[in-house]
Amino acid sequence: MRFDIITLFPELFAPLLTSGITRRAYESGLVDVRLWNPRDHAEGNYRRVDDRTFGGGPGMVMLAEPLFHCLTAIRADRQDLAPTPLVLFSPIGQTLNHKAVAQWSDSAGAVLLCGRYEGVDQRFIDQYVGQQISLGDFVLSGGEIAAMALLDAVARLQPGVLNDEGSHQLDSFNPALDGLLDTPHYTRPEVWQGHAVPTALTSGHHARIERWRREQSLHLTAMHRPELLVQARLAGKLSREDETFLKEDQHASPP
């Protein structure tokens, strides 16, 4: 898959593409990332990419024309038979979640537009943006961090990127966990500052371990994201044993 990033600050992406486990996805070409600066497609001596907003007010707005020429160059370079979807990171967009990430990880990619300043000329958005994505109810200085979040989430789902192929299957929100939160994790030493690892995890009894993990997943989800339990219940993902545990656990404090 290929993601083309329209950004005024391409240098911000260097650490993402060259560090950590997910760099394997970029170095191997599993996730092909290409950076495009709209300033390279602006006209005039100053290569201007923004201007004051009509109607007055603070801040600047990204010009439509350089973005149009940048997008045209990207689509010509991709040589797509069908127009590549253009995604804008924006507060009004749909909140990114695991289901959307999984869909992107199995796609041909997209063009990602990282807005800056007060935003992008609405005429360009109306004409060319096919989807808007948000990370949540807060505002960033630009779309670069949101684009990196999407790229990282997509990259780790690619085969061969993580050391353990099944690792992401046990992530929070994954269908393998019925969309619930992940369980707590522990490692050596067995006792740290007087606190021991739960005995179930050191019992060597696989069925007991799996049941403990399931119950902890249910417990954490009930405490912190109860709406996920509702979704799992409606989808028929909770067993009678799960429901019994939740009924008995409803007044418990976090582990």
Side-chain angles (χ1 to χ4, degrees):
M1 71 186 64
R2 171 175 164 177
F3 286 94
D4 293 271
I5 318 296
I6 300 177
T7 172
L8 292 172
F9 301 96
E11 65 274 12
L12 294 178
F13 288 84
L16 172 77
L17 302 177
T18 58
S19 305
I21 292 177
T22 53
R23 77 181 186 282
R24 298 172 184 169
Y26 312 123
E27 292 176 350
S28 66
L30 284 171
V31 182
D32 184 5
V33 177
R34 307 191 188 190
L35 303 170
W36 302 76
N37 193 332
R39 198 176 300 278
D40 296 333
H41 301 271
E43 298 178 349
N45 293 333
Y46 296 101
R47 300 282 184 178
R48 192 163 189 171
V49 294
D50 64 323
D51 208 335
R52 293 184 296 274
T53 177
F54 278 114
M60 307 291 277
V61 177
M62 293 184 72
L63 294 165
E65 193 68 5
L67 293 174
F68 167 71
H69 288 300
C70 186
L71 178 62
T72 300
I74 291 171
R75 288 181 169 170
D77 188 69
R78 290 182 67 111
Q79 298 181 337
D80 290 337
L81 296 178
T84 305
L86 175 61
V87 177
L88 172 66
F89 296 100
S90 162
I92 72 170
Q94 183 177 7
T95 303
L96 188 64
N97 57 25
H98 177 80
K99 182 179 179 181
V101 169
Q103 291 174 342
W104 282 115
S105 71
D106 197 34
S107 73
V111 181
L112 307 180
L113 172 55
C114 302
R116 278 276 165 175
Y117 315 124
E118 289 301 307
V120 175
D121 190 307
Q122 187 63 41
R123 292 168 294 184
F124 180 82
I125 296 175
D126 293 340
Q127 188 71 17
Y128 295 103
V129 172
Q131 182 177 352
Q132 299 191 51
I133 293 176
S134 170
L135 292 189
D137 294 343
F138 56 94
V139 177
L140 296 166
S141 298
E144 285 79 10
I145 291 176
M148 285 186 263
L150 175 60
L151 290 173
D152 184 84
V154 167
R156 67 189 309 278
L157 295 185
Q158 302 308 305
V161 173
L162 300 182
N163 288 324
D164 187 335
E165 285 293 325
S167 179
H168 68 78
Q169 295 294 330
L170 298 180
D171 288 341
S172 295
F173 316 115
N174 198 288
L177 285 180
D178 297 328
L180 306 179
L181 298 180
D182 193 8
T183 182
H185 297 279
Y186 300 85
T187 188
R188 293 176 178 81
E190 191 170 328
V191 178
W192 179 75
Q193 294 190 354
H195 299 279
V197 174
T199 56
L201 297 179
T202 58
S203 67
H205 193 289
H206 294 296
R208 184 182 176 190
I209 292 171
E210 289 307 308
R211 188 59 211 168
W212 182 90
R213 287 175 171 165
R214 178 65 173 184
E215 290 177 352
Q216 290 301 307
S217 177
L218 292 165
H219 174 83
L220 290 175
T221 306
M223 292 293 296
H224 302 288
R225 295 293 302 275
E227 75 278 10
L228 298 178
L229 275 180
V230 174
Q231 296 173 15
R233 185 173 287 118
L234 291 174
K237 300 294 185 179
L238 301 186
S239 68
R240 183 176 300 177
E241 192 175 9
D242 291 340
E243 295 287 11
T244 299
F245 171 79
L246 287 169
K247 184 177 180 180
E248 296 173 349
D249 186 58
Q250 60 181 339
H251 299 299
S253 59

